[in-house]
Amino acid sequence: MAETMIQLKNITKQYKENKAVKQLDLSIHKGEVFGLLGPNGAGKSTTIYMILGLTEPTEGEVYVSGIHATNKPIEVKKKVGFLPDNVGFYEDMTGMENLILTGKLNGLGRVEAKKRATHWLEQVRMDHAAAKKVGEYSRGMRQRLGLADILMKDPEVVIMDEPTLGIDPKGINELLELIRNLSVDHGLTILLSSHQLHQVQQICDRVGIFVKGELLSYGDIEDLQKTLLDDTLFLYKAKVKGPSHQLVEKLSMEPSVESIDWDEEAYYIRLNKEDQGELAKFFISNQYDLLSLKRMSYGLDDIYQRYFEGGEISD
Ligand code: ADP
Ligand code: MG
């Protein structure tokens, strides 16, 4: 069993009437990349602030690396590198100078700070811009510098709130790849939030779908499909050539068939279990000319449509 780095125990955050986070239980393991995904207003930032000890849960407890976040926020801060959605730097200093300053503020000597800064600038592929003033950086560059800045402190856990926000598609891919590599190469535990399910899930070991303060489900994509899209399991698409007399009547008599839909292109058959073999047998033994038979895979798009679109809180 992997070591737990972040543990949320039944936490609730109440702002006056509004419950921003409702009885959230979640454990994040050492070395994993966890994506906290949900539409705007879901409670992602609030959850992150509670983990960082920046705001207190109304109920429940948060532990980071075994340390109580509310009681010992300063100790938690030493373990966690936090990349907010807008990182502040000294704009008229270069990227290198900014990192060296961070190193010094964290107790490093100049030589060691410079050594580390050089290393991390290289790792985040910013060595080419090391001597440029931060004021001239693009948003994507700032985010990468932000990551290097966090890494100067040698954290065990890295938390990023909406890291891809406002970056162009190429920059997003570079940043995500970088985050993935940090986890793989350095064993860092990474928690990131995003309302852009599609972008971020690809680099996550697990994701949690967070809507209106509640964690609907978490796990890998397959787990999510099972829990969130239960009614689309075991749906098959069959293409049949030529006339298919009484196909629907005959099919509906099969014990495993739950429902049948069709359009000009194909038949969509929902079974009550995974049984593609039996279904294929049905077509063959009834002498239909079966062109293709595929299990339909439901995934992120469907999760997105169902839970993210219109999931925003308007007030
Ligand atoms: P997300 O980061 O997922 O977009 P937030 O955590 O920022 O969501 O917000 C969750 C809910 O809590 C929203 O309804 C928001 O309006 C409310 N909220 C956030 N911060 C505060 C605050 N300081 N005071 C009152 N309500 C807040
Ligand atoms: Mg937020």
Side-chain angles (χ1 to χ4, degrees), residues 51-256:
I51 296 171
L52 294 166
L54 295 174
T55 185
E56 230 175 288
T58 315
E59 278 166 46
E61 316 215 295
V62 180
Y63 294 91
V64 178
S65 193
I67 301 166
H68 196 284
T70 315
N71 296 348
K72 298 186 172 165
I74 294 170
E75 279 189 41
V76 165
K77 241 186 130 197
K78 285 184 199 152
K79 306 241 173 211
V80 182
F82 174 49
L83 187 67
D85 63 3
N86 212 340
V87 210
F89 287 110
Y90 292 97
E91 302 286 314
D92 57 357
M93 280 166 53
T94 67
M96 175 66 90
E97 287 164 352
N98 267 284
L99 293 194
I100 290 174
L101 182 62
T102 297
K104 283 183 171 170
L105 292 174
N106 283 276
L108 300 179
R110 188 177 166 81
V111 175
E112 178 61 21
K114 181 155 190 196
K115 201 173 124 200
R116 254 201 235 182
T118 307
H119 171 74
W120 286 120
L121 281 165
E122 228 174 76
Q123 291 282 309
V124 301
R125 294 192 207 104
M126 283 288 288
D127 31 341
H128 67 284
K132 235 187 192 177
K133 289 191 171 151
V134 172
E136 294 164 28
Y137 282 11
S138 70
R139 191 171 162 88
M141 290 164 82
R142 295 177 77 94
Q143 289 294 83
R144 283 189 280 158
L145 186 68
L147 209 46
D149 190 64
I150 286 177
L151 294 164
M152 288 296 291
K153 302 172 205 166
D154 206 9
E156 291 175 26
V157 176
V158 172
I159 297 180
M160 291 176 269
D161 199 5
E162 303 270 3
T164 61
L165 209 66
I167 306 181
D168 61 87
K170 184 167 165 277
I172 289 174
N173 286 334
E174 284 173 7
L175 182 69
L176 291 175
E177 197 192 321
L178 183 67
I179 294 170
R180 183 76 231 169
N181 289 343
L182 284 175
S183 152
V184 173
D185 300 341
H186 301 277
L188 283 170
T189 306
I190 298 175
L191 170 66
L192 53 91
S193 81
S194 179
H195 68 283
Q196 284 157 322
L197 178 63
H198 295 83
Q199 286 175 4
V200 162
Q201 62 82 22
Q202 53 189 334
I203 63 149
C204 296
D205 297 302
R206 291 190 301 154
V207 298
I209 304 289
F210 206 46
V211 177
K212 296 185 179 147
E214 285 179 90
L215 192 63
L216 298 182
S217 177
Y218 59 88
D220 59 25
I221 293 301
E222 206 173 313
D223 293 335
L224 294 188
Q225 280 176 30
K226 282 191 190 129
T227 50
L228 296 177
L229 301 168
D230 198 26
D231 51 348
T232 59
L233 280 176
F234 315 134
L235 186 62
Y236 296 86
K237 179 176 180 177
K239 290 190 191 178
V240 178
K241 193 178 162 193
S244 38
H245 300 295
Q246 297 173 312
L247 175 64
V248 173
E249 288 98 300
K250 281 188 199 162
L251 246 183
S252 58
M253 272 145 58
E254 293 289 306
S256 60

Side-chain angles (χ1 to χ4, degrees), residues 15 18 20 39-46 313 315:
Y15 292 116
N18 179 13
N40 288 324
K44 304 180 296 293
S45 295
T46 304
I313 293 168
D315 57 359

